[in-house]
Short mmCIF file of all heavy atoms in Angstrom, two decimals:
data_model
loop_
_atom_site.label_atom_id
_atom_site.label_comp_id
_atom_site.label_asym_id
_atom_site.label_seq_id
_atom_site.Cartn_x
_atom_site.Cartn_y
_atom_site.Cartn_z
N PHE P 284 11.92 24.45 24.80
CA PHE P 284 10.94 24.14 25.86
C PHE P 284 10.02 25.33 26.09
O PHE P 284 8.80 25.19 26.19
CB PHE P 284 11.70 23.75 27.14
CG PHE P 284 10.84 23.10 28.18
CD1 PHE P 284 10.49 21.77 28.09
CD2 PHE P 284 10.38 23.83 29.27
CE1 PHE P 284 9.68 21.15 29.05
CE2 PHE P 284 9.57 23.24 30.24
CZ PHE P 284 9.23 21.89 30.14
N GLU P 285 10.60 26.53 26.13
CA GLU P 285 9.79 27.75 26.30
C GLU P 285 8.85 27.96 25.13
O GLU P 285 7.68 28.31 25.29
CB GLU P 285 10.70 28.98 26.45
CG GLU P 285 11.36 29.13 27.81
CD GLU P 285 10.35 29.34 28.94
OE1 GLU P 285 9.22 29.80 28.67
OE2 GLU P 285 10.69 29.02 30.10
N LEU P 286 9.37 27.74 23.91
CA LEU P 286 8.53 27.91 22.71
C LEU P 286 7.38 26.90 22.70
O LEU P 286 6.26 27.22 22.32
CB LEU P 286 9.38 27.75 21.44
CG LEU P 286 10.39 28.86 21.18
CD1 LEU P 286 11.35 28.47 20.05
CD2 LEU P 286 9.67 30.18 20.85
N MET P 287 7.67 25.69 23.16
CA MET P 287 6.64 24.66 23.23
C MET P 287 5.55 25.08 24.21
O MET P 287 4.35 24.96 23.92
CB MET P 287 7.28 23.33 23.63
CG MET P 287 6.34 22.13 23.70
SD MET P 287 5.57 21.90 25.32
CE MET P 287 6.96 21.28 26.29
N LEU P 288 5.95 25.62 25.37
CA LEU P 288 4.96 26.06 26.35
C LEU P 288 4.10 27.19 25.80
O LEU P 288 2.88 27.23 25.99
CB LEU P 288 5.65 26.50 27.65
CG LEU P 288 6.32 25.40 28.46
CD1 LEU P 288 6.95 25.99 29.73
CD2 LEU P 288 5.34 24.30 28.82
N GLN P 289 4.75 28.13 25.07
CA GLN P 289 3.98 29.23 24.46
C GLN P 289 2.99 28.68 23.43
O GLN P 289 1.85 29.13 23.33
CB GLN P 289 4.92 30.21 23.76
CG GLN P 289 5.75 31.06 24.72
CD GLN P 289 6.86 31.82 24.01
OE1 GLN P 289 6.80 32.06 22.81
NE2 GLN P 289 7.88 32.21 24.76
N PHE P 290 3.44 27.68 22.68
CA PHE P 290 2.59 27.12 21.62
C PHE P 290 1.36 26.43 22.22
O PHE P 290 0.24 26.63 21.76
CB PHE P 290 3.40 26.14 20.77
CG PHE P 290 2.66 25.63 19.56
CD1 PHE P 290 2.61 26.39 18.40
CD2 PHE P 290 2.02 24.40 19.58
CE1 PHE P 290 1.92 25.92 17.27
CE2 PHE P 290 1.33 23.93 18.47
CZ PHE P 290 1.28 24.69 17.31
N ILE P 291 1.56 25.63 23.25
CA ILE P 291 0.39 24.92 23.82
C ILE P 291 -0.54 25.90 24.54
O ILE P 291 -1.75 25.72 24.55
CB ILE P 291 0.78 23.74 24.74
CG1 ILE P 291 1.49 24.20 26.00
CG2 ILE P 291 1.59 22.69 23.99
CD1 ILE P 291 1.55 23.11 27.07
N GLU P 292 0.04 26.96 25.11
CA GLU P 292 -0.80 27.98 25.77
C GLU P 292 -1.66 28.68 24.72
O GLU P 292 -2.86 28.85 24.89
CB GLU P 292 0.11 28.98 26.49
CG GLU P 292 -0.61 30.06 27.27
CD GLU P 292 -0.56 29.83 28.79
OE1 GLU P 292 0.46 29.30 29.27
OE2 GLU P 292 -1.56 30.16 29.46
N GLN P 293 -1.01 29.07 23.62
CA GLN P 293 -1.71 29.79 22.54
C GLN P 293 -2.84 28.94 21.95
O GLN P 293 -3.92 29.46 21.66
CB GLN P 293 -0.68 30.13 21.46
CG GLN P 293 -1.21 30.96 20.31
CD GLN P 293 -0.19 31.07 19.18
OE1 GLN P 293 1.01 30.79 19.38
NE2 GLN P 293 -0.64 31.46 18.01
N HIS P 294 -2.59 27.65 21.78
CA HIS P 294 -3.57 26.77 21.13
C HIS P 294 -4.36 25.94 22.13
O HIS P 294 -5.14 25.07 21.74
CB HIS P 294 -2.88 25.86 20.12
CG HIS P 294 -2.26 26.61 18.97
ND1 HIS P 294 -2.99 27.05 17.90
CD2 HIS P 294 -0.99 27.02 18.76
CE1 HIS P 294 -2.19 27.70 17.06
NE2 HIS P 294 -0.97 27.69 17.55
N LYS P 295 -4.15 26.20 23.41
CA LYS P 295 -4.84 25.47 24.48
C LYS P 295 -4.80 23.96 24.27
O LYS P 295 -5.82 23.27 24.25
CB LYS P 295 -6.30 25.97 24.62
CG LYS P 295 -6.40 27.41 25.14
CD LYS P 295 -5.99 27.51 26.60
CE LYS P 295 -5.93 28.93 27.13
NZ LYS P 295 -4.67 29.64 26.78
N ILE P 296 -3.58 23.47 24.04
CA ILE P 296 -3.37 22.04 23.83
C ILE P 296 -3.07 21.38 25.17
O ILE P 296 -2.17 21.80 25.90
CB ILE P 296 -2.20 21.81 22.85
CG1 ILE P 296 -2.59 22.30 21.46
CG2 ILE P 296 -1.81 20.32 22.82
CD1 ILE P 296 -1.43 22.32 20.47
N LYS P 297 -3.85 20.36 25.46
CA LYS P 297 -3.61 19.59 26.69
C LYS P 297 -3.12 18.20 26.32
O LYS P 297 -3.62 17.61 25.36
CB LYS P 297 -4.91 19.48 27.49
CG LYS P 297 -5.42 20.82 27.98
CD LYS P 297 -6.68 20.66 28.81
CE LYS P 297 -7.02 21.99 29.46
NZ LYS P 297 -7.95 21.79 30.60
N PRO P 298 -2.17 17.68 27.09
CA PRO P 298 -1.71 16.31 26.83
C PRO P 298 -2.89 15.34 26.89
O PRO P 298 -3.80 15.49 27.72
CB PRO P 298 -0.74 16.04 27.98
CG PRO P 298 -0.30 17.37 28.46
CD PRO P 298 -1.46 18.30 28.23
N VAL P 299 -2.86 14.35 25.99
CA VAL P 299 -3.85 13.28 26.04
C VAL P 299 -3.43 12.32 27.14
O VAL P 299 -2.36 11.72 27.09
CB VAL P 299 -3.91 12.55 24.68
CG1 VAL P 299 -4.85 11.36 24.77
CG2 VAL P 299 -4.33 13.51 23.58
N LEU P 300 -4.29 12.20 28.16
CA LEU P 300 -3.96 11.33 29.29
C LEU P 300 -4.47 9.94 29.02
O LEU P 300 -5.63 9.74 28.65
CB LEU P 300 -4.59 11.87 30.58
CG LEU P 300 -4.06 13.22 31.09
CD1 LEU P 300 -4.82 13.63 32.34
CD2 LEU P 300 -2.57 13.15 31.37
N ASP P 301 -3.60 8.97 29.22
CA ASP P 301 -4.01 7.57 29.12
C ASP P 301 -4.44 7.12 30.51
O ASP P 301 -5.57 7.36 30.91
CB ASP P 301 -2.84 6.75 28.56
CG ASP P 301 -3.18 5.29 28.44
OD1 ASP P 301 -4.04 4.94 27.60
OD2 ASP P 301 -2.59 4.48 29.17
N GLU P 302 -3.56 6.53 31.28
CA GLU P 302 -3.89 6.10 32.64
C GLU P 302 -2.95 6.81 33.60
O GLU P 302 -1.78 7.02 33.29
CB GLU P 302 -3.71 4.58 32.79
CG GLU P 302 -4.65 3.74 31.96
CD GLU P 302 -6.04 3.65 32.58
OE1 GLU P 302 -6.18 3.89 33.81
OE2 GLU P 302 -7.00 3.37 31.84
N ILE P 303 -3.48 7.14 34.76
CA ILE P 303 -2.66 7.72 35.84
C ILE P 303 -2.70 6.75 37.01
O ILE P 303 -3.78 6.39 37.49
CB ILE P 303 -3.20 9.09 36.29
CG1 ILE P 303 -3.39 10.04 35.11
CG2 ILE P 303 -2.27 9.71 37.35
CD1 ILE P 303 -2.13 10.51 34.44
#
Side-chain angles (χ1 to χ4, degrees):
Chain P
F284 194 79
E285 283 297 337
L286 291 170
M287 182 271 287
L288 292 181
Q289 289 169 22
F290 187 82
I291 66 165
E292 183 105 34
Q293 184 189 343
H294 295 280
K295 292 290 173 279
I296 293 171
K297 296 182 171 198
V299 175
L300 294 178
D301 179 67
E302 295 282 339
I303 308 291

